[in-house]
Amino acid sequence: MIISGKELSATLKAQMAETVATFPEKYGRVPHLVVILVGNDPGSVSYVTGKVKACEATGIKNTTIRKPETITEDELLALIRELNEDDSVDGILVQLPLPKHISEAKVIETISKEKDVDGFHPLNVAALWQKQPCTVACTPKGIIRLLKAAGVQIAGKRAVVIGRSNIVGLPVAKLLLDENATVTIAHSRTADLASVTHSAEILVVAIGKPRFVTADMVSEGAAVIDVGVNRDPQTGKLCGDVDFEAIEPKASVITPVPGGVGPMTICCLMENTIECFLRRQ
Ligand code: GUN
């Protein structure tokens, strides 16, 4: 079964639109997300376009602030501080990656925890690991939603996460653990990776290498979640981290690229923006 993140996110966005439509009467305004886009990287421009469309579909007010590649770190941090102080702004997202002369860590920690819709702020990350209320990073949150919607039972399962980034690998492992899965975190340098992935009843791959996971690495009946967004070196088309065509017949459920995890990330960003708005009321 192919799990469509596109369909699930459309359903969830329609529900959010209904909720947001009640806000003007209740709170006198709708949530407001500000996205800062530095430079013209085509990938980043396309991500930001997706976010704008999702805001429009859910009725969330959105402002995109575009800055040239040449903006200094101090200028960017000053802009973020200004938005932190602006009561009409509920969520702030700075599109990553940033030019090399700007510290992503400094940018992330300058966004106030309360407006950090990405869930990247160290205080949100710490709160997640301490089981305190927090904003959960969008991709990990979307993955758990997808698994549940597909009817995959997580509790008691052996889950393997390939990838250990702060943005996906580590938080998704933590969320699976909180759902009572037994979790192994592997990576591109794991010795005999196939012997580890064979044990996976749930396999999450977030490594950023086209078709890194081959059919011989996956056991019959596994639920396979592909977080990769890569360009196929041969065809130039979008492809995931798993060899979809070869693995789909073996998997109980699998996410396609595009149309799997990606739309869920943006959907959860809308949800996080609404949550930040409601916490500030
Ligand atoms: N670049 C690619 N994905 C993301 C994301 O989820 N958040 C931010 N801020 N930048 C990204």
Side-chain angles (χ1 to χ4, degrees), residues 20 30-33 54-56 58-62 270-271 273-274:
V20 170
V30 294
H32 182 195
L33 172 66
C55 283
E56 284 164 1
T58 48
I60 292 174
K61 179 179 172 189
N62 69 95
M270 300 301 108
E271 196 178 275
T273 304
I274 294 170

Side-chain angles (χ1 to χ4, degrees), residues 30-131:
V30 294
H32 182 195
L33 172 66
V34 175
V35 175
I36 302 174
L37 173 57
V38 177
N40 301 304
D41 170 66
S44 294
V45 171
S46 133
Y47 268 117
V48 170
T49 307
K51 287 165 191 172
V52 169
K53 279 193 187 153
C55 283
E56 284 164 1
T58 48
I60 292 174
K61 179 179 172 189
N62 69 95
T63 306
T64 303
I65 302 178
R66 290 197 70 158
K67 292 289 175 189
E69 221 35 51
T70 51
I71 188 172
T72 65
E73 185 179 271
D74 283 347
E75 285 166 339
L76 183 57
L77 298 181
L79 172 60
I80 294 168
R81 289 191 192 102
E82 209 177 289
L83 294 167
N84 284 341
E85 297 302 316
D86 184 339
D87 274 343
S88 75
V89 173
D90 302 292
I92 304 168
L93 181 149
V94 180
Q95 185 66 24
L96 305 177
L98 288 166
K100 286 203 169 45
H101 66 275
I102 300 175
S103 154
E104 291 189 351
K106 272 195 204 165
V107 164
I108 288 168
E109 70 185 25
T110 301
I111 297 171
S112 82
K113 174 184 183 264
E114 287 69 30
K115 297 189 180 185
D116 168 37
V117 283
D118 264 327
F120 293 168
H121 192 285
L123 291 174
N124 273 319
V125 175
L128 175 71
W129 287 86
Q130 295 179 350
K131 295 195 186 149

Side-chain angles (χ1 to χ4, degrees), residues 1-2 19 22 29 58 79 127 148 151 168 191 215-216 234 278:
M1 186 178 89
I2 300 170
T19 308
T22 67
R29 64 184 192 93
T58 48
L79 172 60
K148 288 187 174 173
V168 184
D216 57 298
Q234 264 111 50
L278 288 174

